[in-house]
């Protein structure tokens, strides 16, 4: 009799147990999706607060190099700049992104009166001069991304790999570059010792007993 009751209870509970197991997502071990990260609108607002145009933000990757957070900032009018540094070699790759176009002439003459050796390398340009070398990448929307490094500390193969890896950042990458929103401007603090008329100097007068 007892065995019959136990078998009946198990038969009644089995569908409930199976239904409960079916609600857990495969591979996660939990049904909690966790907190959502910032969306693109919020991230673009962070970028604009740094005086940078969101469409000019580009990132790259190079083996052994990590971005230096303190180097992230505006370049030119509303362009973007970031430095990638190798702890092992001490080498540094500077990334610049700004509005513009690139031709054989502008590559060979980076500024009035200046001359550099420039050659075409696939969809990119490779330029050398003054102990430095760089890859220049014309992007869509009249944007040019430059990767600049010291020739003695970063060889061309490493710089080329970084050039091939240049891309627009995803939300996770953008959040890492701009981790917190820029602080909002605060209103001036009202001081109670400023007189309503005159030059605004504090009233330091003393009474008749002073």
């Amino acid at each position: 009799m007892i065995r019959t009751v136990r078998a009946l209870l198990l038969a009644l509970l089995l569908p409930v147990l199976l239904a409960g197991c079916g609600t857990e997502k495969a591979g996660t071990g939990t049904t909690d999706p966790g907190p959502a990260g910032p969306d693109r609108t919020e991230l673009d607002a962070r970028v604009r607060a740094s005086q940078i145009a969101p469409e000019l933000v580009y990132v790259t990757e190079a083996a052994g190099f990590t971005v230096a957070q303190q180097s992230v900032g505006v370049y030119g009018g509303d362009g973007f700049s970031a430095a990638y540094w190798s702890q092992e070699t001490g080498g540094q790759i500077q990334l610049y992104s700004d509005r513009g176009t690139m031709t054989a002439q502008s590559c060979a003459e980076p500024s009035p009166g200046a001359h550099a050796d420039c050659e075409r390398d696939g969809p990119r340009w490779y330029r050398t001069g003054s102990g430095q070398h760089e890859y220049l990448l014309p992007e869509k929307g009249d944007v040019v991304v430059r990767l600049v490094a010291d020739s003695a500390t970063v060889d061309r193969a490493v710089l080329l790999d970084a050039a091939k890896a240049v891309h627009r950042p995803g939300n996770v990458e953008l959040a890492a570059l701009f981790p917190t929103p820029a602080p909002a401007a605060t209103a001036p603090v009202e001081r109670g010792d400023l007189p309503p008329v005159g030059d605004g100097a504090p009233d330091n007068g003393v009474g008749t007993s002073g």
Side-chain angles (χ1 to χ4, degrees):
M1 180 64 178
I2 295 177
R3 291 182 179 179
T4 303
V5 173
R6 288 178 178 175
L8 181 60
L9 290 174
L10 181 59
L12 292 173
L13 289 174
L14 186 58
V16 177
L17 294 174
L18 291 175
C21 292
T23 60
E24 185 174 348
K25 295 182 179 179
T28 63
T30 178
T31 57
D32 183 8
D39 61 21
R40 196 71 180 196
T41 301
E42 178 184 338
L43 291 171
D44 285 349
R46 295 183 189 181
V47 176
R48 291 190 185 93
S50 299
Q51 308 302 314
I52 300 170
E55 66 271 19
L56 295 181
V57 179
Y58 281 78
V59 295
T60 188
E61 298 173 359
F65 285 78
T66 56
V67 66
Q69 184 63 45
Q70 67 273 19
S71 72
V72 175
V74 65
Y75 173 71
D78 58 356
F80 174 74
S81 174
Y84 293 78
W85 177 71
S86 170
Q87 183 176 7
E88 181 179 354
T89 66
Q92 178 176 297
I93 299 174
Q94 187 73 42
L95 183 149
Y96 301 101
S97 177
D98 204 2
R99 306 181 192 278
T101 57
M102 184 58 53
T103 64
Q105 181 177 355
S106 61
C107 184
E109 299 177 4
S111 60
H115 177 77
D117 294 326
C118 186
E119 65 183 65
R120 191 77 176 182
D121 188 350
R124 299 163 290 271
W125 296 88
Y126 178 69
R127 183 165 65 192
T128 59
S130 302
Q132 290 188 325
H133 59 162
E134 57 184 303
Y135 268 101
L136 303 99
L137 296 82
E139 299 290 335
K140 295 179 180 179
D142 291 336
V143 176
V144 176
V145 179
R146 297 170 53 214
L147 294 176
V148 186
D150 191 308
S151 302
T153 57
V154 179
D155 63 33
R156 180 172 177 174
V158 173
L159 195 61
L160 177 58
D161 287 343
K164 291 179 178 179
V166 167
H167 61 280
R168 295 274 289 130
N171 285 11
V172 173
E173 293 172 300
L174 199 58
L177 291 173
F178 301 89
T180 55
T186 57
V189 177
E190 295 290 340
R191 291 184 55 181
D193 60 342
L194 295 179
V197 295
D199 60 2
D203 183 3
N204 295 320
V206 298
T208 57
S209 62

